[in-house]
């Protein structure tokens, strides 16, 4: 670690992570390598694919486009924070039940993106879901099953 | 009760939605260090200086290797025309020249950047036509010294890496008496597989053997390629598979694995991990080849195709990979699914100073069907025939004999496909719905199920669950996590969640032909079914003693062995498995399977490396599109698919493959292109400019599964996943041309092309 390394302290999924890192370390690499949370996936490292989407202080964020030092003091939720212990949340259940994933590499980003979306729009139309996830790339599914998953989760969450 | 055809949750679903799944890029080993590659910055040139000393002096560096440190070996899937590192000549941008291992990834990359490299650029061979002229520079001046990986050599010369030619009698005579000769030329671009997980590998040299951890579609192929590059026998290499973040053909041949393996050796056996950046991945991926396809048809006044000539020139890139095998596919697709007279086929695969091309779902078929189906529309337009009626009139029927002599016994299924879509979207209604800038397209195809060998071992455990050991992997499709799981569950009469399938490991499982060509559910499912059959027989033999009944009077169902007709007389299979430990030994079965190639006429063509198409499936697609005349953008309003699948094992898996393939086909038709500059370098460098389809671009696919169970497939299954990618470019292009009333014969059909055509 070089002399210009900086202290970073973030709360991820309710746990406090403190450490030092290079100022140029991305938040994604910090989460994956320093915190050992590999559910946040890196597909492109230039902000296009959306696989590394997490929630920082209530807003969806691409972890590859943010530096770890910028997140100092933040509350972060990653895909590992969605389930309650072994119990999946309704959105996760919906992706599993509706074949909303194939290889699953885009799935964490899709889940985090949809998490924020459903909080703001609990009764979305299919077109609104399509719009919502159009910043996230999926190469396997053709998106139809992801749209169905999000709609199904919205219905379950309204119950 | 059956689980075949039922919706069952995929076995890897929990891990994938919770973030627990460990992908190839996530895998780490104790003591692991990191690697980086120095890659050629130019597409053609001579290395005049390569000095690794500055890199060796960098902090944290364990090893730096170049061609001088690698065995003097050539490797290749079909033709051994690849070196591990460029030594004197570089043949494509991104070609590895040196590799570094260091404590951290940042240190490895810094050290790779510190290597002094001078390359004297040479003219790049880029244009396919020019590459075939006698005065073109040769991409491989030593091409004559190359040898096939197996079997006899095949037709190739100079920059032509492979050639397949069929020249049956009667073609010229038919052209001489034609009512009309219809001629077209089609150009298709390169398409990047763009799986979201970049390639990675961890190599370990330990105990005189190489172990490679990788998320790969075809671990045994990696084993063989690493062995070739490192000049050891295949059993000196062990490949361990991990959860894979998409592949689509691009992870069938070795990528980073041999470099990670050799770096580990150079670093004294420390595990070394290599991960591609997205740009490295894009630049060096064996993408779908660009191609030029020319078709001439001699037609009668009623549209009868008297004869045809089809010529394909496909871009091999700088090395061959799997490509020479695939040249013959032009022969299998030259008439599409329509009857016609004698057909002359010339397919050439051409070396260029560009990244080697390779397998991408629906190899060669995407542009061949684009060409054939666009050409069918052209003929219909010239002769003022209805496009659908014309196709139906010439459509293959049962017993159709193909150009290679193969007979399609069930090609009549095609007509059922047209009928199924007619019920969903009557052609007359679609025609009536046409208005300016709205168009429809239709097309049909046949395709194979990859015949490659597979194997499985099924064990019944003492708690009544089953373990399946196989080197097949689930590339995401669900073929293993749903399909093979369901098949074993069905045969053993246990719930799918009680079936556990291993990840691939070439030291543990028998050979497997890889997740390619829609083969896994069928071929590995069949091997697993054979293994499960053996387990069932053993269960019955042991249970016969417990139940005091004859084995033939027993059935295995719902977790028990019971006497037929007396279901109350039963014993749980868990008890049978436990009992067996002390009587006959553990209950285990093994299964192996391979599909034979259908009969063909070996003298029908030269260079017939892929002689016939096993386990045919049949496909009919319709697209409805709308063109924005101001912006030139094309919107796909409706997309319909009717497809022969043998039997639906998993409805989710089946629909998922169709939907995903159509999306990739829509990208191919409208958005995606790896453009190549005159210098041989890609213009696209990241996913920012390589335009993948988004959720807003893809309609929900309307799908009809046609089921004609295959007696050789497990519970009737045939391949599903590849066929649906064959036709989107064809039917969308036909629909766009219908919408604007002008021909567009290049893909992708970008807004610029649409506007230029409208304004012409």
């Amino acid at each position: 670690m070089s002399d210009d390394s900086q202290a970073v302290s973030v709360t991820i999924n309710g746990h406090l992570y403190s450490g030092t890192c290079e100022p140029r370390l991305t938040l994604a690499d910090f989460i994956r390598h320093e915190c050992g949370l590999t559910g946040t996936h890196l597909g492109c490292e230039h902000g296009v694919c959306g696989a590394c989407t997490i929630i920082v202080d209530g807003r969806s964020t691409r972890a590859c486009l943010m530096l770890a030092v910028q997140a100092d003091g933040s509350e972060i939720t990653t895909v590992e924070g969605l389930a309650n212990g072994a119990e999946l949340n309704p959105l996760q259940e919906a992706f599993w039940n509706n074949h909303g994933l194939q290889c699953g590499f885009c799935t964490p980003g899709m889940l985090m993106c949809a998490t924020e979306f459903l909080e703001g729009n609990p009764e979305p139309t299919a077109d609104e879901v399509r719009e919502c996830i159009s910043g996230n790339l999926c190469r396997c599914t053709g998106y139809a099953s992801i749209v169905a998953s999000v709609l199904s989760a919205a219905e379950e969450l309204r119950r | 009760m059956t689980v075949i055809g039922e919706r069952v949750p995929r076995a890897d679903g929990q891990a994938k939605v919770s973030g627990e799944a460990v992908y190839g890029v996530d895998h780490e080993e104790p003591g692991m260090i990191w690697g980086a590659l120095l890659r050629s910055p130019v597409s053609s040139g001579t290395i005049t200086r390569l000095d690794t000393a500055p890199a060796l002096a960098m902090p944290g560096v364990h090893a730096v290797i170049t061609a001088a440190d690698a065995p003097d070996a050539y490797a290749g899937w079909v033709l051994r025309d690849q070196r591990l590192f460029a030594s004197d000549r570089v043949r494509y941008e991104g070609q590895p020249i040196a590799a570094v291992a260091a404590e951290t990834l940042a240190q490895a990359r810094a050290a790779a950047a510190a290597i002094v490299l001078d390359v004297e650029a040479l003219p790049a061979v880029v244009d396919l036509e020019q590459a075939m002229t006698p005065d073109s520079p040769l991409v491989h001046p030593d091409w004559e010294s190359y040898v096939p990986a197996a079997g006899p050599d095949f037709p190739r010369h100079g920059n032509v890496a492979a050639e397949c030619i069929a020249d049956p009698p009667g073609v010229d005579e038919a052209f001489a008496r034609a009512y009309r000769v219809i001629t077209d030329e089609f150009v298709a671009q390169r398409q990047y597989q763009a799986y979201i997980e970049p390639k990675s590998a961890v190599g370990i040299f330990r105990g005189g053997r190489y172990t490679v951890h990788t998320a790969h579609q075809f671990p045994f192929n990696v084993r063989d390629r690493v062995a070739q590059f490192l000049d050891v026998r295949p059993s000196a290499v062990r490949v361990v598979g991990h959860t894979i973040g998409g592949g689509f053909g691009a992870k069938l041949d070795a990528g980073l694995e041999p470099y990670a393996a050799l770096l580990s050796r150079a670093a004294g056996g420390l595990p070394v991990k290599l991960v591609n950046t997205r740009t490295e991945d894009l630049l060096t991926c064996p993408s779908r080849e660009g191609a030029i396809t020319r078709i001439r048809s001699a037609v009668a006044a009623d549209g009868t195709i008297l004869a045809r000539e089809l010529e394909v020139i496909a871009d091999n890139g700088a090395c061959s990979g799997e490509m020479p095998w695939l040249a013959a596919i032009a022969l299998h697709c030259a008439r599409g699914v329509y009857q016609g007279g004698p057909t002359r086929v010339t397919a050439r695969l051409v070396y260029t100073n560009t990244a080697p091309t390779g397998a991408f779902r629906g190899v060669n078929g995407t542009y061949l069907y684009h060409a054939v189906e666009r050409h069918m529309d052209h003929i219909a337009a010239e002769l003022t025939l209805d496009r659908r009626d014309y196709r139906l009139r010439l459509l293959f029927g049962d017993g159709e004999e193909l150009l290679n002599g193969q007979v399609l016994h069930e090609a009549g299924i095609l007509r059922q496909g047209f009928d199924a879509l007619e019920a969903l979207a009557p052609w007359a209604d679609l025609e009536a719905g046409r208005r300016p800038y709205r168009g429809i397209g239709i097309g049909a195809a046949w395709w194979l199920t990859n015949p490659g060998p597979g194997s499985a071992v099924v064990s019944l455990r003492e708690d009544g669950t089953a373990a399946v050991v196989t080197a097949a992997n689930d590339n995401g499709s669900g073929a293993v996590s749903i399909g093979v799981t369901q098949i074993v569950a069905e045969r053993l009469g246990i719930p799918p969640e009680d079936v556990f399938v291993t990840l691939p490991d070439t030291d543990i499982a028998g050979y497997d032909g890889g997740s390619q060509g829609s083969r896994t559910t069928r071929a590995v499912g069949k091997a697993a079914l054979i293994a499960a059959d053996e387990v069932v027989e053993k269960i019955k033999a042991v249970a016969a003693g417990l139940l005091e009944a004859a084995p033939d009077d027993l059935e295995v169902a719902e977790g028990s062995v019971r006497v037929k007709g007396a279901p109350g007389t039963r014993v749980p299979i868990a008890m049978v498995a436990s009992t067996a430990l002390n009587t006959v030994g553990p209950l285990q079965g093994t299964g192996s399977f391979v599909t034979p190639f259908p009969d063909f006429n070996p003298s029908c063509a030269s260079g017939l490396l892929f002689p016939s198409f096993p386990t045919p499936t049949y496909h009919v697609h319709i697209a409805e599109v709308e063109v924005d005349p101001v912006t030139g953008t094309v919107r796909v309003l409706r997309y319909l698919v009717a497809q022969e699948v043998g039997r639906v094992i998993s409805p989710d898996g089946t629909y998922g493959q169709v939907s995903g393939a159509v999306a990739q086909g829509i990208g191919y038709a409208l958005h995606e292109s790896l453009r190549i500059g005159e210098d041989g370098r890609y213009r696209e460098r990241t996913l920012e400019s390589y335009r993948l389809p988004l959720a807003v671009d893809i309609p929900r696919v309307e799908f009809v599964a046609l089921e004609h169970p295959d007696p050789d497939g497990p519970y009737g299954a045939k391949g599903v996943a590849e066929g649906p990618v064959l036709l989107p470019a064809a039917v969308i292009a036909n629909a766009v041309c219908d919408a604007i009333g002008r021909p567009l014969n290049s893909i992708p059909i970008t807004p610029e092309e649409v506007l230029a055509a409208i304004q012409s």
Side-chain angles (χ1 to χ4, degrees), chain B residues 378-390:
Chain B
H378 187 183
I379 298 172
E382 286 277 337
L383 303 180
T384 61
L385 302 168
D386 175 81
R387 293 179 285 157
R388 182 174 181 274
D389 287 347
Y390 179 49

Side-chain angles (χ1 to χ4, degrees), chain B residues 679-754:
Chain B
D679 59 359
R681 299 168 77 232
Y682 287 152
R683 297 206 171 132
E684 277 61 48
R685 321 289 292 181
T686 69
L687 293 183
E688 209 161 359
S689 57
Y690 189 81
R691 164 74 158 90
L692 289 164
L694 308 175
V696 287
D697 299 319
I698 311 295
R700 186 175 169 81
V701 177
E702 300 167 60
F703 172 58
V704 184
L706 307 171
E707 293 189 282
H708 299 82
D710 175 4
D712 294 329
Y715 298 105
K718 297 177 186 172
V720 170
E722 281 206 319
V725 84
L726 299 170
L727 287 167
V731 301
I732 288 170
N734 280 344
V736 173
C737 297
D738 182 44
I740 65 174
R742 289 180 173 79
L744 279 170
N745 286 350
S746 296
I747 48 173
I749 299 174
T750 61
E752 293 86 345
E753 306 240 357
V754 171

Side-chain angles (χ1 to χ4, degrees), chain B residues 631-696:
Chain B
T631 65
T633 53
V634 175
R635 203 154 72 89
V636 182
L637 302 174
R638 283 185 84 179
Y639 202 94
L640 300 100
V641 174
Q643 177 172 333
E644 159 65 359
V645 297
R647 180 163 170 204
V648 172
I649 303 296
S650 159
D652 285 335
T654 301
Y655 184 78
Q657 288 311 295
V658 173
S659 172
V662 168
Q664 290 176 352
I666 290 175
Y668 186 59
L670 298 176
H671 307 299
E672 299 177 41
S673 180
L674 285 174
R675 294 170 301 163
I676 300 169
E678 283 179 10
D679 59 359
R681 299 168 77 232
Y682 287 152
R683 297 206 171 132
E684 277 61 48
R685 321 289 292 181
T686 69
L687 293 183
E688 209 161 359
S689 57
Y690 189 81
R691 164 74 158 90
L692 289 164
L694 308 175
V696 287

Side-chain angles (χ1 to χ4, degrees), chain B residues 326-338:
Chain B
L326 309 176
I329 291 176
L331 184 67
H332 308 321
C333 299
R335 294 188 306 187
V337 291
Y338 309 107

Side-chain angles (χ1 to χ4, degrees), chain A residues 6 40 43 77-78 80 88-89 91 101 121 137 139 145-146:
Chain A
Q6 305 213 356
T40 298
T77 308
T78 68
E80 290 94 341
L88 299 176
N89 81 7
L91 188 63
L101 61 95
N121 185 355
L137 297 174
R139 192 52 152 166
S145 61
I146 299 179

